[in-house]
Amino acid sequence: MPSPLLRILAAAVLLVMILQKSEAQLPPQWCIADEQTPEAELQQALDWACGKGGADCKKIQEKQTCYFPNTIKDHASYAFNSYWQKFKNKGGSCYFNGAAMVTDLDPSHNGCRFDYLP
């Protein structure tokens, strides 16, 4: 008969294996701007994401692949996703003071690819 400690250890190993498997099966997700957020709030969050937040916002600059559509909502979505994909595994969130939301629908469009990192 295995000792209680051995049974606890076996249960813990099994739990870790189950959690790893369930995480591996999650669908891809992206972080986008919440359409109900006022533009002024989106702009403030966009500025933070592209500045102190450390998002890669090169592709939403003029003449780049994700510049169009040239709207605050679309640029904010790209920046929010860039930040979240870069930092989600290090504690970063898709919140932006309530201006963003997670989606499992790929927001990429017309040659503008939104990054996805598992």
Side-chain angles (χ1 to χ4, degrees), residues 95-112:
Y95 181 66
F96 297 93
N97 289 328
M101 57 189 269
V102 174
T103 181
D104 59 359
L105 299 175
D106 186 349
S108 300
H109 58 277
N110 302 335
C112 174

Side-chain angles (χ1 to χ4, degrees), residues 59 65-66 108-114:
K59 289 184 181 178
T65 57
C66 296
S108 300
H109 58 277
N110 302 335
C112 174
R113 302 291 315 151
F114 277 55

Side-chain angles (χ1 to χ4, degrees), residues 10-26:
V13 168
L14 181 60
L15 180 60
V16 167
M17 290 171 57
I18 290 169
L19 289 173
Q20 286 176 339
K21 184 173 181 167
S22 66
E23 285 179 13
Q25 294 175 347
L26 289 176

